Amino acid sequence: MKHFVFLLTLIISLSGQAADLGRGLRLMPVQDNGRIKPYDTFAQETLEVVYGKKKYEERAAWEVVLTWMLAPQVWGEKELFEVRNPQIQKALGLDEHRRWFKGEEVFGNERFPELMSDLRSRRETKEKLTPYFQALQRIESQFFVFREMAEGHLLRVMPSPKGDAWLSVADLESPAREAFGDVTQKFVLLLGSISTGGLAADNASLALDQSVAHFQELVHAANTSGVQISQTGLEMELFYNDFHPFRWAYIFYLIAALCGIVGWILDKKAFSYGAWAFTIIGFLTHTFGFALRVYLAGRPPVSNMYETVVWVAWGGIFFASALELIYKPRFILLAGNLAALVALVVADTAPAVLDPSLQPLEAVLRSNYWLIVHVMTITISYAAFFLAFVLGDIALIEYIKEPAKQQPAKMKAMVQAIYRCLQIGVSFLAPGIILGGIWADYSWGRFWGWDPKETWALIVLLGYLAVLHGRLTGWIRDFGLVVCAVATFSLVIMAWYGVNFVLGAGLHSYGFGAGGVEYVSAIILAHWLLLLYVVVLQKGRTSK
Amino acid sequence: MKKPWPTRILKALASIKLAVFIMVGLIILIAAGTIIESRLDAEAAKKMIYDTWWMTGLMALLATSLTAVLIDRWPWKVRHVPFICAHIGILVLMLGAVLTVKFGLDGTITIPIGEDSRYIVLPGQTDILVYASFGGNGMTKLHEEAVDFFRHPPTVENPVRINSDAGTIDLIDYRKYVLPKKQVLVTDEATAGAGVRFQIQNSRVSVVEWLVQRRPEAMATHDFGPAQIHLGVAPTLGRGKNEIWLTAIGDKIHWVVYRKDADEPFAKGVTEEGGKVQTGWMGLELRILRYLPKAREEWDFDEIDHPTPLTTSAVKVRFLGKEHWLLLDDTLRLFTQTTAYMVSYLHRRIDLGFPIALKSFEMVPYEGTSKAKEYRSHVQLPGAPEEVISMNEPAKYQGLTIYQASFQNDESGKPVASVFSVNSDPGRVWKYLGALIISVGIIWLFYSRRRPKAAATTKDV
């Protein structure tokens, strides 16, 4: 634990070099999307909407977003607006090889009003929005967000005596208006000195901090409605933004996996210690990040795809470690590391699909014990199936290698581990589905309603039960189980991802988003081709 | 040596191969159900997959197979307990499901704020109702029939036929998904009222609408928030509202404007088709775009191949050689010289036997947004103290459970009605019991089999 704390401090001091500049501003409470968040989070989320990234050309979001308000005309000249949908690029006559465009190229385009009216009439039909219209919708919100930010309406910085909606910068009255004006001036001074760095930047940052502090005094004085602004919460969130716990976790898992792979190839036990050490460090960081998110959201974070992916990665490591300790073949831990690595990398790199921002929950999902229990139980079963899938992949590679090099004992152990994973998965999934029924009964008075999400969870259960039963009849032997572990995971992908992103229908629609379908399908297809190849290979060998 | 045939049948039913076949069959069937739901809607998936004899048959086979496997293990030994739990639990759960389907009730009720209601609507079940009125005030029910046009649509060759004194009323066609739009036609029926297509506009608003009277003396109204516009017989004094009255007399339209603060007309006059009237009030200009002294409203629609929140279904009615379209949850009026017939195509409604009154409704949004954080209904049930129903906090009354399902709001986002689901579920206990037994069974089963048996060594299967 001591080492862990030391390591954490080291990481933070490494990653937080320039982080202290503008700290006061970044911590400033802002009301946005139904909660109070630090300006830093607001800026990242806003930049993400418009630009598709959390940084603009190496400049942090907090440096960029406020300048939209101060110098909108300058930003009109920059390639700030991300347009990726080829259909829209074509419709607007944009260069298909570029990803970012000037505001004028997009919103000043003569066809832009036409596209917006297409979108409106599509909305009036209440039809589901196709990816094209979803992309149009994004452009609409890019336009809206940038304009509102530039005009000072988006940034809500001060509690209002009139209601629970805070006052935006544009609505501020004296003396708050002057105080905020001073903040922006000091902010501009800091921006000027950041590039040179050194003492000038430190002093400018200090001046900005003081100016923000002065403004915050006015905010606290105005905060008569009793809204709690938790300073600790803001600081924790800023820390969470800077620290990237899940990124560190996957880096450690990557190192652990590399140790595992080298150990596997060289067949040396010594590497397993390294793998264990990094797995443990990664797991602690992972758990810490998870706990931090629970604290910030005020609820267990299993309410959208991003959060379940992080949770499944956690479960993968947990089950892998437990099984490795019980059975001691080294590749289970390796499989766990690879599973968690893949899941966390995907979560970190696909923010448009897996939205990492903390969103307010739908009313039906709030403060509900059964909800949390059923989602966590079902998704943790996916972790076990994921582990079986990765183990299956490793076993397939073993099968591809020359049969002479195959070690029957090792294969037996691997097959046994896969079998165990499937059992663990089923024994979480079945109660999880039932708990979901109990939740539905409790919330809606209906135990089962053939909702696509619950139906697909049942399909997964039936699929794995069929495999387990097939094993009992002797239809599925060792090689068959490996194949099934990989093949049946397609059902999990469908239940977990496909229902939301491909089917996009049903009561569980609060988790819905779009995108990434082509990548996911390609991965599934690649696995099926791999399976086909190995099956044919194996058939050829046995017939000889 | 061959075993006797009952044993062989039992063995066949208890075989794992059959179990795997059933599981794979279920997977294919319900996966298709989810795809249909995503293409169409939940009701289509229900009628095409989940409520079919395919599904029922497979479920019955599953129950038979489970029963067979349990009999096959007889006499049960202690080591069989987890196995028996995992399998018997499914049977108990299925028993609960059967009880729910047979004896349960599951409907929704929408109550506007400040009002009450005693009828719940059952989704997916529809009725055709025909009433006749022979001149007087009385209405006679001629016909009531449960129909499932989704599965069994009427056709010209095979119509749904309802006998009346004036001839048969035939339902001859059905469309699943239509986008309705009203159409106003000229008619020569003596009983028809007038129709006016008007435009009212000032610098901020512009509204174009039809007003059609059902009978010559009836009133037709378009409400646009702070003011209403009526077609009918104008009162001589204001009613304390901002109102514009149009009265059709011959080929002229008499108009009068009342304001809510005065009894006397604010302005009045006479106009005709194509006429333009300055009401002198809020700069509103009224134009009569079309005027039909005898008009009839008729549904017209565009048919599409999938449902949206705006689609409904329609059935074609033929009466005395004329054809009319009737939309779901609407009533068609058919006239002869002596009789008026009312043909309704409605979702099934059930009288609860008591009213539910919605006293008030609160919606708490997330701070600074209009997104609902929580909402609750203050409800009055007969002989019970006022109760609060909110998400996950249902009320129980006379064996029914009343859940907060959702709410409806007007265009400004203000809630106007609360939606509840009302149900009774006699299978609940069995489902919970079955669920518990399954869960215990599965976990115990896997825990007790530390070593998975190799395929070849399993003898007692």
Side-chain angles (χ1 to χ4, degrees):
Chain A
M1 194 62 207
K2 232 180 203 172
H3 294 283
F4 180 61
V5 172
F6 168 73
L7 201 92
L8 269 186
T9 348
L10 188 76
I11 292 165
I12 294 159
S13 56
L14 280 176
S15 63
Q17 274 279 302
D20 276 347
L21 289 179
R23 184 178 165 81
L25 176 66
R26 296 174 65 207
L27 269 176
M28 185 178 75
V30 171
Q31 187 191 48
D32 175 50
N33 203 1
R35 71 183 186 99
I36 310 285
K37 52 181 80 163
Y39 164 73
D40 189 67
T41 306
F42 166 84
Q44 286 190 11
E45 289 172 3
T46 306
L47 187 62
E48 183 92 54
V49 169
V50 172
Y51 186 65
K53 287 180 158 191
K54 283 183 176 159
K55 278 187 171 185
Y56 177 81
E57 295 176 352
E58 294 307 306
R59 306 202 72 164
W62 68 269
E63 296 175 52
V64 173
V65 171
L66 198 56
T67 58
W68 295 353
M69 195 166 75
L70 304 176
Q73 65 287 356
V74 174
W75 283 102
E77 297 300 304
K78 304 236 174 170
E79 290 174 1
L80 180 67
F81 299 93
E82 186 187 41
V83 182
R84 297 187 82 168
N85 185 298
Q87 233 179 314
I88 292 177
Q89 289 181 336
K90 210 171 161 201
L92 289 173
L94 300 172
D95 180 359
E96 285 158 41
H97 305 291
R98 274 162 61 197
R99 179 169 158 192
W100 290 282
F101 301 89
K102 292 177 190 166
E104 198 176 311
E105 289 176 285
V106 183
F107 314 122
N109 193 300
E110 57 182 12
R111 289 215 53 204
F112 178 70
E114 203 177 312
L115 293 188
M116 287 298 110
S117 96
D118 280 359
L119 177 61
R120 271 193 299 276
S121 47
R122 177 73 177 194
R123 280 205 196 111
E124 272 165 24
T125 66
K126 308 236 169 146
E127 300 258 3
K128 277 184 217 163
L129 295 182
T130 59
Y132 169 74
F133 284 105
Q134 285 170 1
L136 265 188
Q137 188 159 273
R138 172 154 184 237
I139 293 193
E140 185 192 41
S141 61
Q142 285 171 310
F143 178 67
F144 174 81
V145 161
F146 182 79
R147 193 192 60 197
E148 293 296 290
M149 187 64 210
E151 291 174 0
H153 294 299
L154 196 64
L155 187 59
R156 298 176 173 275
V157 288
M158 187 145 202
S160 161
K162 288 192 198 111
D164 62 357
W166 281 25
L167 294 175
S168 68
V169 172
D171 297 333
L172 288 180
E173 285 167 11
S174 185
R177 193 172 53 215
E178 288 76 23
F180 195 81
D182 186 60
V183 170
T184 55
Q185 273 174 25
K186 299 288 177 353
F187 166 72
V188 172
L189 289 177
L190 172 62
L191 282 192
S193 60
I194 273 185
S195 48
T196 50
L199 200 62
D202 288 347
N203 286 337
S205 176
L206 209 62
L208 176 60
D209 286 358
Q210 283 165 356
S211 179
V212 172
H214 173 61
F215 181 68
Q216 286 310 305
E217 281 168 22
L218 296 176
V219 165
H220 284 290
N223 188 14
T224 49
S225 59
V227 180
Q228 289 285 321
I229 306 172
S230 157
Q231 195 59 31
T232 330
L234 293 169
E235 283 184 27
M236 289 292 259
E237 186 159 349
L238 192 61
F239 171 71
Y240 177 80
N241 289 350
D242 288 339
F243 178 41
H244 300 295
F246 304 128
R247 193 173 294 167
W248 282 106
Y250 76 64
I251 291 171
F252 292 128
Y253 294 148
L254 174 67
I255 301 171
L258 289 175
C259 290
I261 289 172
V262 172
W264 182 32
I265 293 168
L266 300 180
D267 209 7
K268 287 246 163 59
K269 268 210 171 94
F271 283 94
S272 73
Y273 298 112
W276 267 112
F278 282 104
T279 305
I280 291 168
I281 296 168
F283 190 64
L284 288 175
T285 319
H286 196 158
T287 312
F288 174 68
F290 208 72
L292 203 55
R293 208 175 155 101
V294 171
Y295 170 81
L296 293 175
R299 57 177 163 82
V302 285
S303 69
N304 69 11
M305 278 299 279
Y306 174 82
E307 292 174 344
T308 55
V309 169
V310 171
W311 168 239
V312 163
W314 190 91
I317 293 287
F318 180 80
F319 288 138
S321 307
L323 288 174
E324 178 87 16
L325 283 176
I326 297 170
Y327 295 104
K328 298 203 170 51
R330 278 150 303 178
F331 44 73
I332 302 183
L333 192 65
L334 172 63
N337 281 317
L338 290 174
L341 176 66
V342 169
L344 289 181
V345 168
V346 168
D348 194 41
T349 49
V353 182
L354 303 174
D355 179 10
S357 64
L358 292 163
Q359 294 287 345
L361 280 184
E362 294 287 335
V364 66
L365 301 182
R366 286 188 71 250
S367 60
N368 192 313
Y369 176 73
W370 289 116
L371 161 83
I372 293 155
V373 173
H374 102 264
V375 177
M376 289 185 102
T377 316
I378 290 177
T379 43
I380 205 75
S381 79
Y382 294 169
F385 296 135
F386 193 15
L387 190 59
F389 168 77
V390 177
L391 276 168
D393 271 350
I394 295 176
L396 285 181
I397 296 168
E398 286 280 340
Y399 275 112
I400 293 173
K401 291 204 277 185
E402 286 298 300
K405 281 193 185 165
Q406 272 183 34
Q407 299 150 293
K410 198 168 164 184
M411 283 315 290
K412 262 271 173 291
M414 203 176 277
V415 167
Q416 196 190 357
I418 290 174
Y419 192 72
R420 268 288 170 224
C421 284
L422 299 190
Q423 286 187 329
I424 291 172
V426 166
S427 44
F428 276 99
L429 183 55
I433 292 173
I434 288 165
L435 287 167
I438 292 174
W439 177 55
D441 191 28
Y442 178 73
S443 292
W444 291 305
R446 193 215 56 189
F447 194 87
W448 189 264
W450 297 111
D451 175 78
K453 197 81 180 169
E454 69 194 23
T455 304
W456 270 97
L458 179 65
I459 291 173
V460 172
L461 179 65
L462 287 169
Y464 282 101
L465 280 177
V467 171
L468 292 179
H469 281 83
R471 175 114 178 127
L472 287 177
T473 62
W475 281 350
I476 297 172
R477 291 170 188 279
D478 287 358
F479 178 66
L481 193 69
V482 168
V483 171
C484 284
V486 176
T488 320
F489 192 68
S490 304
L491 297 179
V492 176
I493 296 280
M494 190 62 198
W496 186 17
Y497 168 88
V499 172
N500 299 27
F501 290 84
V502 181
L503 293 182
L507 278 173
H508 287 76
S509 59
Y510 11 79
F512 286 3
V517 176
E518 59 276 22
Y519 300 105
V520 176
S521 326
I523 289 166
I524 293 178
L525 190 68
H527 271 101
W528 279 92
L529 290 176
L530 175 69
L531 280 180
L532 192 69
Y533 171 70
V534 179
V535 168
V536 170
L537 197 71
Q538 195 70 4
K539 272 251 181 314
R541 277 176 193 156
T542 44
S543 63
K544 256 180 222 165
Chain B
M1 192 182 77
K2 244 188 168 182
K3 285 179 182 161
W5 64 267
T7 318
R8 270 185 288 143
I9 288 179
L10 184 72
K11 286 283 173 202
L13 284 173
S15 81
I16 294 188
K17 289 180 184 179
L18 179 66
V20 172
F21 166 78
I22 294 170
M23 284 187 261
V24 173
L26 273 177
I27 288 176
I28 293 168
L29 211 55
I30 64 183
T34 64
I35 291 167
I36 290 173
E37 175 155 351
S38 105
R39 292 269 170 85
L40 301 174
D41 61 3
E43 199 178 318
K46 209 172 160 198
K47 295 212 158 150
M48 291 164 78
I49 301 283
Y50 305 126
D51 276 359
T52 57
W53 64 267
W54 282 89
M55 192 73 192
T56 316
L58 209 50
M59 285 295 193
L61 192 60
L62 174 62
T64 316
S65 172
L66 286 166
T67 313
V69 85
L70 289 169
I71 296 171
D72 190 46
R73 291 292 160 101
W74 193 266
W76 296 345
K77 298 197 183 75
V78 176
R79 70 186 163 89
H80 287 147
V81 171
F83 171 86
I84 289 161
C85 281
H87 292 80
I88 214 168
I90 302 173
L91 283 174
V92 175
L93 190 71
M94 287 171 81
L95 170 69
V98 170
L99 289 175
T100 305
V101 171
K102 286 273 171 214
F103 306 107
L105 177 72
D106 188 3
T108 59
I109 185 166
T110 305
I111 311 175
I113 296 169
E115 294 177 28
D116 61 30
S117 175
R118 53 192 295 149
Y119 297 100
I120 59 168
V121 174
L122 300 186
Q125 298 186 43
T126 49
D127 294 315
I128 288 283
L129 290 162
V130 181
Y131 286 88
S133 155
F134 305 98
N137 292 324
M139 299 268 263
T140 316
K141 190 195 273 183
L142 287 187
H143 191 81
E144 176 168 10
E145 183 181 354
V147 289
D148 183 357
F149 289 154
F150 189 97
R151 270 193 273 228
H152 311 290
T155 56
V156 176
E157 295 78 35
N158 191 15
V160 172
R161 180 154 287 186
I162 300 149
N163 292 313
S164 80
D165 298 344
T168 59
I169 299 169
D170 290 336
L171 312 184
I172 52 169
D173 198 1
Y174 172 75
R175 302 289 157 87
K176 278 179 200 165
Y177 309 120
V178 299
L179 285 166
K181 52 185 185 197
K182 272 230 160 128
Q183 210 180 26
V184 181
L185 304 170
V186 180
T187 178
D188 49 10
E189 284 164 26
T191 51
V196 172
R197 184 171 164 83
F198 68 91
Q199 178 177 34
I200 190 156
Q201 63 176 6
N202 63 10
S203 55
R204 285 185 300 144
V205 288
S206 174
V207 178
V208 177
E209 279 294 335
W210 268 106
L211 286 174
V212 179
Q213 291 171 298
R214 272 207 180 119
R215 286 170 285 113
E217 305 296 291
M219 188 167 100
T221 297
H222 179 75
D223 187 343
F224 48 107
Q228 287 87 41
I229 180 160
H230 309 284
L231 177 62
V233 182
T236 47
L237 287 175
R239 307 189 302 173
K241 291 177 186 166
N242 296 319
E243 292 178 320
I244 300 172
W245 286 86
L246 306 175
T247 311
I249 300 173
D251 56 356
K252 298 282 184 208
I253 295 170
H254 295 248
W255 60 273
V256 53
V257 179
Y258 287 106
R259 285 170 53 174
K260 68 176 171 197
D261 46 9
D263 283 346
E264 292 306 310
F266 177 73
K268 60 199 280 185
V270 180
T271 184
E272 59 195 346
E273 184 174 286
K276 225 187 257 185
V277 171
Q278 298 298 337
T279 64
W281 174 54
M282 284 173 69
L284 286 171
E285 183 190 74
L286 176 75
R287 294 173 62 189
I288 306 298
L289 302 176
R290 192 96 175 80
Y291 169 49
L292 306 175
K294 289 284 172 207
R296 175 164 69 87
E297 267 185 306
E298 180 111 310
W299 283 110
D300 186 29
F301 54 74
D302 297 322
E303 190 179 2
I304 56 176
D305 62 354
H306 60 277
T308 77
L310 299 181
T311 54
T312 183
S313 19
V315 59
K316 194 189 249 181
V317 181
R318 189 173 60 195
F319 181 61
L320 299 176
K322 280 190 183 164
E323 293 178 351
H324 316 263
W325 281 102
L326 167 62
L327 297 180
L328 183 56
D329 289 325
D330 197 21
T331 297
L332 181 70
R333 285 168 176 76
L334 301 168
F335 299 97
T336 65
Q337 293 298 336
T338 55
T339 316
Y341 295 97
M342 257 153 274
V343 185
S344 305
Y345 175 35
L346 304 171
H347 273 110
R348 180 154 321 146
R349 302 200 317 165
I350 289 185
D351 187 350
L352 284 174
F354 59 87
I356 303 176
L358 179 62
K359 293 284 171 194
S360 60
F361 179 82
E362 297 160 47
M363 192 269 273
V364 183
Y366 277 98
E367 50 174 281
T369 68
S370 58
K371 183 171 175 169
K373 186 176 182 182
E374 52 190 323
Y375 40 95
R376 51 183 95 89
S377 303
H378 295 259
V379 167
Q380 181 75 61
L381 293 157
E386 193 175 300
E387 209 163 340
V388 179
I389 300 179
S390 65
M391 218 38 127
N392 306 324
E393 299 289 339
K396 288 199 193 306
Y397 186 78
Q398 291 192 0
L400 296 171
T401 318
I402 305 165
Y403 300 81
Q404 179 77 62
S406 60
F407 65 93
Q408 293 175 347
N409 46 358
D410 62 11
E411 276 146 31
S412 68
K414 202 178 122 227
V416 291
S418 184
V419 182
F420 302 92
S421 73
V422 178
N423 84 19
S424 75
D425 186 356
R428 179 171 285 137
V429 178
W430 295 100
K431 284 190 252 186
Y432 278 59
L433 183 66
L436 186 70
I437 298 173
I438 295 173
S439 302
V440 170
I442 287 183
I443 294 165
W444 190 353
L445 194 63
F446 290 159
Y447 185 76
S448 63
R449 284 194 198 172
R450 281 249 141 174
R451 289 176 189 289
K453 290 177 185 175
T457 61
T458 42
K459 275 184 195 145
D460 57 341
V461 176

